[in-house]
Amino acid sequence: MSRPGSFFMRMGLTPGQIAMHAFLLACAFAMLFPFYWMVLTAFRPSQEVFSATFHWLPQTFVGFDNFREAFAKAPLLRFMANGAIICSGILAVQLLTAIPCAYALAKYEFRGRNLLFALVLFALCVPVQVPALPLYMGLAFTGTLDSYFSLMLPFFLSVFAIFLFRQVFRSFPDDIIHAARLDGMGEMEILWRVVVPSASPAIAAFAVFSITAHWNDLYWPLIVVTSPELAPPPLGMMYFSDTDLGSSFGALMAAATLLTAPLTILFLFAQRHFVQGVTMTGVK
Amino acid sequence: MTATVSISSIEKNFGATKTLKGVSVDVAAGEFLTLVGPSGCGKSTLLRIIAGLIPQDGGTISIDGAPVDHLLPKARDVSMVFQSYALYPHMSVRENIATPLKVRRLSSFARWPLVGKFAPGQAAARAEIAEAVKQVAAQVEIEALLDRRPAQLSGGQRQRVALARAMVRQPRVFLMDEPLSNLDARLRVHMRGELSELHQRLGATFIYVTHDQVEAMTMSTRVALMMDGEIVQVATPDEIYTNPADVRVARFIGSPEINLLQGRADPQGRISIAGRATALRTEAVGQLTVGLRPEILTIDDGSSDIVIDGRLQRVERLGHDVLLHVRNDGSDRKNMTLRVSAAELEALQMSGRLEENFTIGARATAALLFDADGKRLPAIHGATASEPLTYSSGRKLVGV
């Protein structure tokens, strides 16, 4: 009576949809398993990591011992504070520069506008490694290496933000801008008080992109920072995985869990805006 | 708080296309002038040029006699109601209405979010603004909606908010860009009445853009009909209907559309339509167009000056009135529309006159003549003519 697949048929799923979901589940597993392993290891003794058999739960539950060890050996709060300073500094300057720039490209008619926008698109294709050397030399020349400023400088101008906000601002109705001009607002006031509030989903989405990228960045901090007290989370982890926590996988994973937690929480809160902003519904 | 607006030879080009070709019109103080025309004729562009939102390529706008071409939109003392209402989406209705006053009366520091509240010496101005907002809200009956966001309002309510925002700073001139076209039919009729009333109460100059000839006819002091970037005629609604200067005006104004028939004037100026002589006379010779409004056509009872053969195609009942669609099987196979009352239709059907071929008739005095280029031609029709012409009766001349 009950043939194979009849359960899925009753659920209203076609074979194609079943295959699709199986594929997506496999992908989700591949993505999430490393995180699971990280959290799992944070709660078990280090020697279990090397046991031959895999267990879904810790065989010996060590509670928060690994976390205590991580806090004792590495200044994790300091790394997180560094990450927060760098990310907020970068984001603030990115928004202050990209928003007016994107607005001009989206809503003003001027000579060379299309050329400028083409240059913005072109700049999207330049990887951060390319200007690394001149930037490093510039920082060395001005004596600003090994500072928060040197960590933030290359990211102040975000072409991605300009591109994203331009697309969003373009869909903002001209009539509302005209109405604001007739009401007597200045151009900057129109931008920040009328246009930007409607773009908040896109701004939230961009904030998630920006914060994730710079919280997790290892490449640039590795080049410009030598003092451990300036290290953002990944660099700090690297310093301490070598020396103090090297053999203690449990503590290392506990530290990693703590350092990824802020981003996970941020994403959970901004998720709705994030999806909305990326699909660029912008203004209704 | 009312002003004259003088628009003189305004030109605007978008790339190679000439959107406005030297448009001139003078608007009297306190007048309700409607710019009407088909979409794409440049009327909205003209309105935005008056507001200063887009620059013109030639010509001058003057308000109250003073040129305003160099002034920014905010300095022109005009306000505008947009087709899309253009309300600030993230502000409450109260904030939307208060914005024009806040920008003008509060210092820039006092308008900052959050910290602006602590700006000193603004309490009196704030109280005035709150009072003004309350007053205009009462005038357009939206007091109950002041704390809502535009997204929470219906189309009609948004329309009122947009009006209130335009009214609150008491501008000299109101510009309206198709403000009723996003409303449903019933609300549109209602708002038409309200706008007329508002215009009378405020006494301000209104310049109103629409593509809907009914709006133009019902509300305006004068109508300016625009076609292809030019003003074809400026006249009172009555005048523009009964005395159009151009065949395009005659076609645009009036619903159902005017019946246009090919006519021919012989060397004596006697006009024949579809081979039948008529009582119409003109001073021109050759091909011309005769315009007959649907309501002046009747089923001929032998007393008409103009007669055309016809055959009934279709009857369209509008309630009180009935439209008869009639076909002329003559040389140009023209369809014509007659407007008769339901009672007349009843009588015609009883007498059986609609069942076979019949003749349609009209009085010669009601016909409109246009030359081959569409310009109006003066008709000559004896004693009933409005022009002081001294020809004898057309009827005798053609010998009907």
Side-chain angles (χ1 to χ4, degrees):
Chain A
M1 202 153 60
S2 76
R3 280 160 310 174
S6 62
F7 171 73
F8 293 109
M9 298 303 178
R10 260 183 282 126
M11 302 271 293
L13 289 172
T14 64
Q17 282 173 321
I18 295 165
M20 179 71 80
H21 279 94
F23 175 71
L24 290 175
L25 277 173
C27 291
F29 180 78
M31 298 271 196
L32 292 175
F33 186 74
F35 285 94
Y36 175 72
W37 197 84
M38 175 180 81
V39 177
L40 179 69
T41 309
F43 287 102
R44 62 184 175 180
S46 294
Q47 49 275 26
E48 261 188 47
V49 176
F50 301 104
S51 68
T53 48
F54 177 78
H55 298 283
W56 284 100
L57 288 173
Q59 298 300 289
T60 330
F61 184 69
V62 295
F64 289 96
D65 286 355
N66 286 330
F67 289 89
R68 236 169 270 130
E69 191 190 343
F71 268 116
K73 288 192 176 158
L76 290 182
L77 289 177
R78 177 81 214 199
F79 297 155
M80 286 202 244
N82 288 342
I85 291 168
I86 293 162
C87 288
S88 52
I90 290 174
L91 183 63
V93 180
Q94 278 177 335
L95 292 179
L96 284 174
T97 52
I99 286 175
C101 184
Y103 183 65
L105 285 174
K107 288 294 182 194
Y108 291 151
E109 298 279 342
F110 55 90
R111 208 178 273 268
R113 176 173 81 158
N114 293 337
L115 178 72
L116 272 181
F117 184 60
L119 285 174
V120 168
L121 290 182
F122 175 70
L124 278 174
C125 314
V126 179
V128 62
Q129 287 81 0
V130 172
L133 193 61
L135 275 170
Y136 180 85
M137 285 166 66
L139 288 167
F141 187 73
T142 52
T144 42
L145 277 176
D146 205 20
S147 65
Y148 284 129
F149 178 74
S150 65
L151 281 166
M152 295 189 261
L153 176 75
F155 310 107
F156 278 161
L157 304 179
S158 166
V159 279
F160 174 65
I162 294 172
F163 174 71
L164 180 75
F165 293 146
R166 175 201 179 256
Q167 301 305 94
V168 172
F169 291 161
R170 265 170 76 89
S171 67
F172 191 83
D174 283 337
D175 277 355
I176 299 182
I177 296 171
H178 284 163
R181 278 187 197 143
L182 276 166
D183 282 348
M185 290 194 202
E187 291 302 306
M188 274 297 176
E189 200 175 358
I190 293 173
L191 172 59
W192 293 103
R193 298 202 48 197
V194 175
V195 181
V196 167
S198 320
S200 52
I203 293 174
F206 174 72
V208 172
F209 277 125
S210 168
I211 291 171
T212 316
H214 300 115
W215 183 276
N216 290 335
D217 189 23
L218 176 63
Y219 171 76
W220 186 251
L222 196 57
I223 294 176
V224 290
V225 166
T226 43
S227 337
E229 65 270 18
L230 287 178
L235 186 62
M237 283 290 290
M238 207 186 74
Y239 283 149
F240 285 90
S241 64
D242 290 347
T243 54
D244 298 309
L245 294 169
S247 55
S248 172
F249 271 88
L252 200 57
M253 287 302 123
T257 306
L258 285 170
L259 293 177
T260 44
L263 287 190
T264 317
I265 292 164
L266 174 76
F267 182 77
L268 286 179
F269 275 109
Q271 192 185 20
R272 195 170 56 86
H273 289 301
F274 184 70
V275 175
Q276 212 181 347
V278 172
T279 50
M280 287 194 212
T281 45
V283 187
K284 201 192 136 194
Chain B
M1 54 162 253
T2 180
T4 59
V5 179
S6 160
I7 299 159
S8 89
S9 36
I10 291 296
E11 285 169 30
K12 181 73 189 173
N13 308 323
F14 287 107
T17 52
K18 291 191 167 173
T19 311
L20 295 174
K21 305 168 187 164
V23 173
S24 301
V25 58
D26 283 314
V27 190
E31 192 175 15
F32 194 128
L33 180 93
T34 303
L35 294 168
V36 67
S39 42
C41 73
K43 54 196 191 299
S44 286
T45 309
L46 181 60
L47 201 68
R48 280 168 171 71
I49 288 173
I50 299 171
L53 295 169
I54 51 178
Q56 66 267 39
D57 293 325
T60 298
I61 303 285
S62 307
I63 297 177
D64 239 358
V68 293
D69 303 315
H70 59 288
L71 294 178
L72 286 172
K74 63 178 173 188
R76 297 189 179 197
D77 198 15
V78 300
S79 63
M80 189 154 167
V81 178
F82 294 84
Q83 180 178 3
S84 60
Y85 315 134
L87 301 176
Y88 307 126
H90 60 284
M91 292 186 194
S92 69
V93 169
R94 188 191 306 280
E95 289 166 332
N96 260 288
I97 301 173
T99 298
L101 291 183
K102 280 188 180 169
V103 171
R104 283 175 166 74
R105 299 199 191 156
L106 297 183
S107 68
S108 54
F109 176 64
R111 303 204 305 272
W112 274 59
L114 303 174
V115 291
K117 280 193 204 96
F118 304 109
Q122 306 281 337
R126 275 181 204 284
E128 271 175 41
I129 292 171
E131 186 53 36
V133 170
K134 221 189 274 174
Q135 266 182 20
V136 288
Q139 281 186 39
V140 295
E141 294 163 26
I142 48 167
E143 299 107 306
L145 310 172
L146 283 174
D147 293 312
R148 298 215 198 150
R149 295 279 171 108
Q152 296 166 299
L153 303 179
S154 70
Q157 290 167 335
R158 283 181 214 187
Q159 173 67 66
R160 283 161 196 272
V161 177
L163 269 175
R165 187 177 64 179
M167 283 159 59
V168 73
R169 62 189 160 91
Q170 307 186 325
R172 295 184 291 178
V173 179
F174 281 89
L175 306 174
M176 306 207 170
D177 186 11
E178 310 215 6
L180 305 185
S181 60
N182 284 352
L183 301 179
D184 64 53
R186 217 175 123 252
L187 201 52
R188 204 178 306 159
V189 174
H190 177 73
M191 285 305 291
R192 234 156 54 194
E194 290 208 356
L195 278 178
S196 285
E197 208 175 283
L198 185 73
H199 170 245
Q200 277 168 11
R201 206 166 56 222
L202 297 176
T205 309
F206 277 44
I207 301 179
Y208 186 101
V209 160
T210 182
H211 64 265
D212 181 352
Q213 46 125 348
V214 181
E215 282 176 28
M217 299 294 278
T218 50
M219 293 192 288
S220 330
T221 328
R222 280 194 304 161
V223 178
L225 197 134
M226 284 185 77
M227 296 256 174
D228 304 322
E230 286 169 311
I231 290 188
V232 189
Q233 188 173 6
V234 189
T236 61
D238 192 39
E239 174 83 3
I240 210 164
Y241 184 77
T242 54
N243 202 7
D246 191 293
V247 71
R248 291 176 294 171
V249 178
R251 289 188 67 167
F252 193 84
I253 303 286
S255 171
E257 208 174 278
I258 190 167
N259 298 297
L260 295 173
L261 302 165
Q262 289 304 315
R264 198 168 180 82
D266 68 13
Q268 282 77 48
R270 288 187 294 244
I271 297 166
S272 57
I273 299 169
R276 273 181 183 258
T278 67
L280 286 167
R281 291 200 62 212
T282 180
E283 284 168 343
V285 175
Q287 283 291 342
L288 46 73
T289 306
V290 180
L292 298 166
R293 296 273 184 205
E295 64 273 13
I296 69 156
L297 291 173
T298 53
I299 305 297
D300 180 41
D301 54 4
S303 70
S304 307
D305 307 332
I306 302 167
V307 285
I308 305 145
D309 294 313
R311 190 161 51 76
L312 187 67
Q313 295 280 98
R314 189 156 60 87
V315 175
E316 201 177 340
R317 287 169 200 275
L318 305 175
H320 177 262
D321 284 351
V322 179
L323 300 182
L324 303 179
H325 296 272
V326 175
R327 189 177 178 89
N328 172 259
D329 284 327
S331 52
D332 58 348
R333 294 187 163 268
K334 192 75 190 172
N335 285 324
M336 283 171 292
T337 315
L338 280 75
R339 185 194 280 268
V340 298
S341 72
E344 281 177 76
L345 177 73
E346 196 88 344
L348 287 167
Q349 281 173 330
M350 292 287 275
S351 65
R353 291 183 61 195
L354 295 177
E355 275 151 33
E356 53 214 79
N357 286 0
F358 50 85
T359 51
I360 306 164
R363 283 176 302 110
T365 48
L368 304 168
L369 301 181
F370 304 97
D371 68 14
D373 297 329
K375 293 274 169 282
R376 181 75 184 280
L377 285 173
I380 304 163
H381 28 57
T384 47
S386 50
E387 300 92 340
L389 292 166
T390 50
Y391 291 87
S392 54
S393 149
R395 187 176 293 247
K396 265 186 219 153
L397 277 167
V398 251
V400 174

